[in-house]
Amino acid sequence: MTSVPDDRHRIVFLDRDSVIANVRKPSFAHAWTEYPATKAADAVARLRDARATIAITNKVPLRADALDQLPDLKMIAVSATGTDIIDLAACRARGITVANIRNYAVNTLPEHTFALMLALRRQLVAYRADIEAGLWQKAEQFCLFGHPIADLAGSRLGLAGYGALGKSVAAIARAFGMEVVVFNRSPVEDEGVVQVSWDELLETSDVLSLHLPLNDQTRNMIGASELVRMKRSALLINTARGGLVDEQALADALRAGVIGGAGFDVLTQEPPPADNPLLNLRLPNFILTPHSAWASTQAMQVLADQLIDNVEAWVAGVPRNVVA
């Protein structure tokens, strides 16, 4: 690899193909190296060989043992909101700045959340299967019944978490005529939104949508004991993080009819192993999408622009979106 002068920043993008957008090059003097993807085991070698001062990563983890081998590294720019792939405490101890992306998915993820809600409430999967099986073609009348359809209007949407994404979901919900209740650590004073306890949210929501980060407090926050407390007709939507819900407990609950249905865009391990309990769950009241809620064309470009904004701000001495 060609050496570069010490006064130039050396940037390595470990998983460029994870951002399908135009990523502009930073305005300051730099050397740029990018890889379509990087295995965790190869990250140190690629950063060390380039003597990287700035690492860009979406899902390639950088833990303390890796950071110990990267003395030149000064900044990690995460091309995502979640930073659980980074050892933030180790970065603080080593003086490595970590910045993430914020509020770029305020349209795409809420729209996906409602796509899952609507598909489940309108029984789209079940009715499509009926048509493919020839049931409508054999019906004695012009329409086909068989799966109960429920309106969103007049139902209660419970939001676990009320950051930028939760607020956007709430705004759409109000437009649909839904009652919005929120469980959130900080006080909520928005008009048309009622803050409730975790127990009330769990037991009274017609649709429960998760918008929380994954940490030690939220991991498996919904398991078998929580699912059985939900309404039997309730929907559980997770477009936040895999690991918030006990996946085996959810699979068991859906098979047993404990809740009405679920729509998930995230799993505990991604890509998922073949034995993930939700991966091969073939039920009309369960929809799984491949962590794509965030990935509209428009949102990806906002992400890409903000990513380089973060890097340029740090180099300019006015860091932004800093998490460590």
Side-chain angles (χ1 to χ4, degrees), residues 154-216:
S155 61
R156 171 175 275 206
L157 172 64
L159 299 175
Y162 198 62
L165 295 173
K167 290 180 179 180
S168 292
V169 171
I172 298 174
R174 290 194 296 271
F176 268 94
M178 301 181 79
E179 176 193 9
V180 181
V181 296
V182 172
F183 172 74
N184 195 59
R185 288 185 177 180
S186 304
V188 174
E189 298 178 352
D190 288 4
E191 185 177 353
V193 175
V194 177
Q195 192 164 7
V196 298
S197 68
W198 172 246
D199 289 340
E200 182 175 347
L201 188 90
L202 196 66
E203 295 170 3
T204 67
S205 295
D206 296 301
V207 182
L208 175 54
S209 188
L210 306 180
H211 300 281
L212 293 165
L214 179 65
N215 53 44
D216 291 340

Side-chain angles (χ1 to χ4, degrees), residues 63-100:
R63 309 297 185 193
D65 58 341
L67 299 174
D68 285 340
Q69 302 174 66
L70 300 168
D72 295 310
L73 191 62
K74 303 301 179 186
M75 183 200 185
I76 299 173
V78 182
S79 57
T81 299
T83 56
D84 48 297
I85 59 165
I86 308 297
D87 189 329
L88 297 180
C91 287
R92 294 186 188 101
R94 291 160 178 77
I96 299 172
T97 299
V98 181
N100 70 341

Side-chain angles (χ1 to χ4, degrees), residues 49-61:
D49 289 348
R51 294 174 53 225
T53 56
I54 299 172
I56 300 177
T57 177
N58 189 316
K59 292 294 182 287
V60 182

Side-chain angles (χ1 to χ4, degrees), residues 2-316:
T2 304
S3 62
V4 296
D6 287 341
D7 62 346
R8 296 174 66 189
H9 284 282
R10 299 173 292 276
I11 305 170
V12 176
F13 198 154
L14 292 171
D15 47 358
R16 172 64 179 84
D17 282 1
S18 65
V19 179
I20 306 172
N22 175 36
V23 180
R24 74 177 191 274
K25 296 302 189 288
S27 57
F28 54 85
H30 67 279
W32 179 279
T33 304
E34 64 181 42
Y35 297 92
T38 298
K39 294 180 179 179
D42 296 330
V44 169
R46 289 180 170 182
L47 293 169
R48 188 171 53 200
D49 289 348
R51 294 174 53 225
T53 56
I54 299 172
I56 300 177
T57 177
N58 189 316
K59 292 294 182 287
V60 182
L62 293 171
R63 309 297 185 193
D65 58 341
L67 299 174
D68 285 340
Q69 302 174 66
L70 300 168
D72 295 310
L73 191 62
K74 303 301 179 186
M75 183 200 185
I76 299 173
V78 182
S79 57
T81 299
T83 56
D84 48 297
I85 59 165
I86 308 297
D87 189 329
L88 297 180
C91 287
R92 294 186 188 101
R94 291 160 178 77
I96 299 172
T97 299
V98 181
N100 70 341
I101 307 298
R102 304 182 188 181
N103 301 339
Y104 73 97
V106 291
N107 294 316
T108 182
L109 188 139
E111 288 183 12
H112 194 99
T113 298
F114 268 85
L116 293 172
M117 281 188 214
L118 287 163
L120 290 164
R121 288 282 239 176
R122 309 301 301 184
Q123 298 279 8
L124 299 189
V125 175
Y127 279 117
R128 176 175 177 174
D130 285 349
I131 293 171
E132 291 175 347
L135 299 186
W136 190 21
Q137 299 88 316
K138 300 173 185 176
E140 296 182 357
Q141 56 181 335
F142 71 96
C143 58
L144 182 67
F145 298 122
H147 308 286
I149 296 170
D151 296 333
L152 291 180
S155 61
R156 171 175 275 206
L157 172 64
L159 299 175
Y162 198 62
L165 295 173
K167 290 180 179 180
S168 292
V169 171
I172 298 174
R174 290 194 296 271
F176 268 94
M178 301 181 79
E179 176 193 9
V180 181
V181 296
V182 172
F183 172 74
N184 195 59
R185 288 185 177 180
S186 304
V188 174
E189 298 178 352
D190 288 4
E191 185 177 353
V193 175
V194 177
Q195 192 164 7
V196 298
S197 68
W198 172 246
D199 289 340
E200 182 175 347
L201 188 90
L202 196 66
E203 295 170 3
T204 67
S205 295
D206 296 301
V207 182
L208 175 54
S209 188
L210 306 180
H211 300 281
L212 293 165
L214 179 65
N215 53 44
D216 291 340
Q217 288 71 47
T218 61
R219 192 179 309 277
N220 286 336
M221 64 185 295
I222 296 184
S225 60
E226 287 77 23
L227 290 164
V228 77
R229 292 169 58 194
M230 294 174 65
K231 289 184 175 183
R232 289 186 67 86
S233 60
L235 302 180
L236 177 62
I237 308 294
N238 186 9
T239 54
R241 285 288 179 268
L244 296 177
V245 178
D246 182 325
E247 292 167 347
Q248 186 61 61
L250 176 61
D252 293 342
L254 289 170
R255 289 192 186 97
V258 172
I259 63 171
F264 272 49
D265 184 57
V266 289
L267 293 176
T268 301
Q269 182 178 338
E270 297 170 345
D275 61 352
N276 183 287
L278 297 180
L279 188 62
N280 297 307
L281 194 62
R282 297 292 185 266
L283 295 174
N285 62 341
F286 177 66
I287 299 174
L288 177 64
T289 54
H291 205 143
S292 57
W294 65 282
S296 73
T297 299
Q298 296 89 337
M300 278 217 191
Q301 191 57 57
V302 172
L303 181 154
D305 292 342
Q306 190 180 142
L307 173 67
I308 302 305
D309 288 344
N310 287 348
V311 172
E312 290 177 337
W314 177 77
V315 169

